[in-house]
Amino acid sequence: TPLGPASSLPQSFLLKCLEQVRKVQADGAALQERLCATHKLCHPEELMLLGHALGIPQAPLSSCSSQTLQLMGCLHQLHSGLSLYQRLLQALAGISPELAPTLDMLQLDVTDFAISIWQQMEDLGLAPAVPPTQATMPTFTSAFQRRAGGTLVASNLRSFLEVAHRALRHFAKP
Amino acid sequence: LEECGRISLPASTVRLGDSITASCTVSPNCSRLGSEAQILWKLETEPQPGERQRRLEDGSQESTITLPPLHHPRALLSCCLRWENTLQILDQAELVAGYPPAAPHNLSCLMNLTTNSLICQWEPGPDNHLPTNFTLKSFRSRGNCQTQEEPIPDCVPKDAESRCSIPRKHLQLYQNMGIWVQAENALGTGKSPELCLVPMDVVKLEPPTLWALAPSPEVAPPQPGCLLLRWELWKPSLYIDQKCELRHQPQLGEASWALVGPLLSQTLQYELCGLLPSTAYTLQMRCVRWPLPGQWSDWSPSLILTT
């Protein structure tokens, strides 16, 4: 399998990852649109205070940012971040009947993406033997908190994916 | 109701062309009976000779008969008694005959992004004359399906359908999975050859929507013998890199389709030239996931434009 010129990763893997990023971005956008349309939660910046109170963790992607781009470190952070978002989305279960299908689809696609990366790391012999420590999940105690949490998580995920997409595009550049 | 007679069969289903041995036991206190009841057999309406009759210790009479090879999928066997110049039917059994299921074949699958499910279909094989259950079985795998990782719940098709849909929640869209069809009836099991595929690699897109590109301040009118087109990719597939191809033919006359492509999905508009002037053309477009593998969409509905 031809390797991505800017990296030791197979080109097909990089193309798949780029597709999966775009797929998760589309799912995330769908969730944000529905949260806005159905519950008028359209601006995450209006929920910063609540976000701090809930303690919604963010996923670092320093090894994927252009200044400190480092392939294997980026893969690790990408996988850890996706695992974090998988758990955050799981914690949002019960968000609302109208949003459940959209949330389920997003969670399935995030999970698929995490598995794709993990298996590639395993194939490269880079999968960490000891799973990284897992951040504490917030506890949502009301339907409103789940929807507000959903708005914040979707927004954070969007930023996360933008950085991931840029890095993967760089690795896949002919 | 006191039971007069009862037929016993070694199996309710046999292979077509095989024979079967049946027995009928007539109880001694079957009212209004003479001492030596003569048991007779009928297959459908035909008397069957060759039975062997004996008296059991409890006074019952037992008749055993080996029937000729069965050549009909269904037959009615009757155990009868001659009584006062009449033939009394004491019990009946339906004999069912058929074949073990053939291995289903031509299994193929497509990932449908509208239903978000993997839809598989197959050829069931010749009629075996028996009720046959088909089950789509699959498992997740790394590599090329040599090793089974996690089983996926069986997919049971709706009645008599030769297709089944595996829902999104059971799929990992970008990982290998092994898939086969199992056919089962009373006489055995048939298993199709196994497919090893990645769901997204068999994604079939819906066709794009083809439009005429109206001249505007930004878009100069088409040259003679040219047409201006634009298209929109199917919305649920926007996250997928694709290539498309266009085909056209004069609306009248016998000319075959001319093919134009590949047209990369980012293009979205195209000036088609080299056509006959003042002629109506039928145009269609289709797209496929590319450079990653996928299945071509169907051709789009026709767009008729005149040069």
Side-chain angles (χ1 to χ4, degrees), chain B residues 4 8-9 51 53 56 58 69 75 80 86 113 126 131 140 153 158 161 166 180 184 207 230 241 261 272 286:
Chain B
C4 263
S8 303
L9 296 169
E51 77 285 357
Q53 193 164 323
L56 303 181
D58 65 355
C80 312
T86 67
L113 293 186
R140 289 204 194 111
K158 298 189 188 82
E161 284 192 354
I166 301 175
W180 76 94
E184 211 160 343
R230 70 179 181 87
D241 280 342
L272 176 63
R286 67 175 182 173

Side-chain angles (χ1 to χ4, degrees), chain A residues 12 15-16 19-20 22-23 105 108-109 112 115-116 119 122-123, chain B residues 116 142 168-169 171-175 200 239-241 289 291-292:
Chain A
S12 61
L15 290 174
K16 271 185 212 173
E19 183 176 280
Q20 288 188 270
R22 294 192 298 265
K23 185 165 175 44
M105 190 57 69
L108 283 168
D109 288 337
D112 264 12
I115 289 168
S116 292
Q119 288 192 353
E122 278 188 333
D123 292 347
Chain B
N116 265 301
R142 289 286 291 272
R168 171 71 181 88
K169 64 185 177 191
L171 297 171
Q172 280 177 7
L173 298 184
Y174 292 83
Q175 308 306 323
M200 276 307 284
Y239 69 90
I240 296 173
D241 280 342
R289 182 187 192 220
L292 292 170

